[in-house]
Amino acid sequence: MTSKDSVDLPVSEPVGETIARVVSISAIDPTDQELGLPPEVLADLRAHFLVEPDELTARRHLGRILAARDELTKTAAVAQPRRRVWATAAVASAISLFGTAGMAAAGVLPEPMQNLAADVVAPIGVDLPRKGPIAAGEPSPGSSTGTGRQTDPSPTTPNPDRAPDLTGPASSGSPSTTTPPVTVPAEPSPTVPDPMSPTPTTSIGGTPEGGDGADSSSAQPGDGAASTGNPGHGNNDGQGNGNAGDKGGGDSDKGEQDKGEQDKGEKDKGEQDKGEKGN
Amino acid sequence: MTIGSTFASVLALAQEGDDHALTVLYKDVAPLVMGYLRSNRVENVEDVAGDVFVSMVTSIGGFGGGEDQFHSWLLTITHRRMIDDRRRRTRRREDTVAPVDLDRDGESGRDVAAVMDAGVTAVNRLDVGDVLAAMDHLTPEQREVVMLRVLADLPIRDIAAIVARPETAVRALLRRGVAAIHRNLTSSDSDVAS
């Protein structure tokens, strides 16, 4: 590869002009000689411009430099705590976020939070474990009508005193968890039990009203009140669930029963007095 | 005017705000900054240089490099403050470059070698006053590049970074500036001879 191949030189161009042009377009930085000025002139030129500032100018400049340094120090002192607060807040937020996400993924959050987290991330396709009745084979609330969040955890709560499995209708596995509790007292018992019945509390969920025991397990105050007006119902509830309200209903029924016996005794006493007067 | 091997420690102390280190740095770079401003005909050199040093203090925390890089970095600040000062001035300086000089500097640099050859004898008898007089005919862009090359002895790459131009443009400006200096020296010498 010759120089003629690398650089296309016109024949009519003078050599000095070509060198100057090549030097100007080359990647080599021009040296002092290539600048065309003698070194001593360049040195004089540098000495002409590169002079120390006079003392007054130097003092002014140094004063501005130190003032700028002080201002910068103050600004940094103010900005540092702010930065630290923001950094702390960011770290705390990240820890809480990832911690909550990890606990939700592990399913160790409390039940409401776990279900809430599962509901929040369900639309984006993340399936988190749930707690409560939905975990026992219930359809996911995200795929249902949306009432699944109003769950009543009591049906899955093991209660040895209750016998919902024996009654059939109340424990047949129907989604009773979504049944509003207001339906419970709206079914008054048409039959008024005989207060003198010897065994008013022997059947455990034996009556059809005994199916309401599942509803009464939700400890609604209305259950106790309803059972007050329905002795048979109240007795069943009171004995089956041990609910305080139901117990109160049972006691009140018993009290009424005792009152009836007392009235009967007084009536008999009145008749005896009549007989004595007659005698 | 170099700090030398202790530059790194001086820089580290200056970045922490040490008074003595800042003073050492100032004394090292003040002639260069003020010389560059003066050579480019900045009217209020002291004020513009003060702005440069304030910017140096506020930005020195983010600087990293050697002494040569520090000079280039500081000259970049100086150049920008100089441009700001020019823009602030409502009355712009008239450049005294004759149109014939621009024509001769143009195109392919045909006149460069001839001028340099013809000016060899004249240059050999130069003093700094003649060079300064010859530099009066440079355009501001040529003057900036020539003075960065002469005063700070910077490579083309650093000069291009300082003036924010491509290296090829900087090279062309430098070549045309030097050619204009030689031409002016030759013409002044011929005027004296005649």
Side-chain angles (χ1 to χ4, degrees):
Chain A
M1 186 174 183
T2 64
S3 61
K4 191 173 182 180
D5 295 331
S6 59
V7 179
D8 189 11
L9 299 175
V11 178
S12 61
E13 189 176 42
V15 176
E17 183 177 344
T18 303
I19 292 173
R21 186 166 61 87
V22 170
V23 166
S24 66
I25 63 176
S26 67
I28 303 171
D29 291 340
T31 61
D32 286 349
Q33 288 77 18
E34 290 167 347
L35 288 176
L37 295 173
E40 59 272 17
V41 175
L42 285 175
D44 290 343
L45 197 60
R46 287 165 181 156
H48 176 77
F49 286 111
L50 301 179
V51 294
E52 297 280 343
D54 58 87
E55 189 175 354
L56 181 61
T57 303
R59 282 184 183 177
R60 288 176 180 170
H61 284 168
L62 286 173
R64 291 189 66 180
I65 287 173
L66 297 181
R69 189 270 318 270
D70 294 341
E71 185 71 21
L72 190 67
T73 305
K74 290 178 183 176
T75 306
V78 172
Q80 187 70 16
R82 289 181 186 169
R83 204 175 303 147
R84 191 176 302 156
V85 166
W86 278 107
T88 305
V91 170
S93 300
I95 289 174
S96 62
L97 178 64
F98 286 107
T100 305
M103 292 173 70
V108 295
L109 283 175
E111 181 179 333
M113 292 180 64
Q114 182 70 33
N115 291 336
L116 179 63
D119 290 342
V120 167
V121 299
I124 60 174
V126 179
D127 190 16
L128 289 181
R130 291 177 178 277
K131 285 186 175 179
I134 299 177
E138 290 285 340
S140 173
S143 60
S144 65
T145 58
T147 59
R149 292 182 62 181
Q150 299 175 352
T151 58
D152 187 2
S154 59
T156 59
T157 303
N159 191 350
D161 295 335
R162 290 182 55 196
D165 295 336
L166 302 175
T167 56
S171 61
S172 60
S174 63
S176 61
T177 58
T178 58
T179 303
V182 292
T183 60
V184 175
E187 190 179 359
S189 175
T191 60
V192 178
D194 187 4
M196 301 301 291
S197 175
T199 58
T201 61
T202 53
S203 65
I204 301 174
T207 60
E209 291 82 4
D212 294 336
D215 295 327
S216 64
S217 65
S218 60
Q220 293 294 332
D223 293 343
S227 61
T228 302
N230 188 353
H233 187 185
N235 288 333
N236 286 333
D237 291 338
Q239 192 177 43
N241 295 327
N243 195 323
D246 295 336
K247 271 187 176 177
D251 293 340
S252 62
D253 293 343
K254 191 175 180 181
E256 287 183 356
Q257 188 178 355
D258 296 337
K259 189 179 180 182
E261 292 176 355
Q262 187 177 1
D263 291 341
K264 192 177 178 180
E266 289 177 357
K267 197 175 180 181
D268 294 338
K269 189 177 180 183
E271 288 177 358
Q272 285 180 352
D273 292 339
K274 266 187 179 180
E276 290 177 359
K277 282 183 179 179
N279 291 331
Chain B
M1 286 186 302
T2 57
I3 297 176
S5 60
T6 60
F7 175 79
S9 58
V10 171
L11 176 66
L13 290 173
Q15 287 174 333
E16 295 175 358
D18 182 72
D19 290 358
H20 180 68
L22 288 172
T23 304
V24 170
L25 278 183
Y26 168 77
K27 288 183 178 179
D28 177 50
V29 297
L32 180 61
V33 170
M34 297 183 71
Y36 179 68
L37 293 174
R38 197 179 301 115
S39 66
N40 283 283
R41 295 175 173 173
V42 174
E43 292 184 2
N44 198 345
V45 173
E46 184 180 338
D47 287 347
V48 177
D51 294 340
V52 171
F53 295 129
V54 168
S55 298
M56 177 190 77
V57 171
T58 57
S59 305
I60 199 171
F63 173 78
E67 191 169 4
D68 292 339
Q69 287 81 18
F70 182 73
H71 289 171
S72 297
W73 176 72
L74 194 60
L75 284 172
T76 303
I77 297 176
T78 306
H79 182 78
R80 290 176 181 172
R81 294 296 169 272
M82 184 179 69
I83 298 298
D84 293 341
D85 182 69
R86 284 179 186 169
R87 289 173 179 167
R88 276 197 299 266
R89 298 184 183 283
T90 55
R91 187 182 65 184
R92 296 180 64 85
R93 184 185 300 275
E94 293 290 335
D95 295 327
T96 56
V97 179
V100 62
D101 293 338
L102 294 177
D103 291 340
R104 290 169 66 186
D105 286 344
E107 296 187 3
S108 62
R110 180 178 296 272
D111 297 325
V112 173
V115 168
M116 291 177 72
D117 291 339
V120 169
T121 55
V123 166
N124 288 332
R125 299 192 303 270
L126 279 178
D127 61 4
V128 68
D130 296 331
V131 176
L132 292 177
M135 290 177 63
D136 287 340
H137 299 280
L138 298 181
T139 65
E141 292 80 11
Q142 290 173 350
R143 178 186 297 272
E144 291 168 5
V145 172
V146 169
M147 296 317 294
L148 285 172
R149 177 68 186 85
V150 171
L151 295 184
D153 197 19
L154 293 177
I156 297 295
R157 185 185 65 250
D158 291 354
I159 296 174
I162 290 172
V163 300
R165 292 176 184 271
E167 291 188 26
T168 54
V170 169
R171 214 175 291 278
L173 282 172
L174 183 60
R175 176 176 53 82
R176 291 173 186 174
V178 170
I181 291 172
H182 278 272
R183 188 167 50 250
N184 295 328
L185 289 175
T186 304
S187 62
S188 62
D189 184 70
S190 61
D191 291 342
V192 171
S194 63

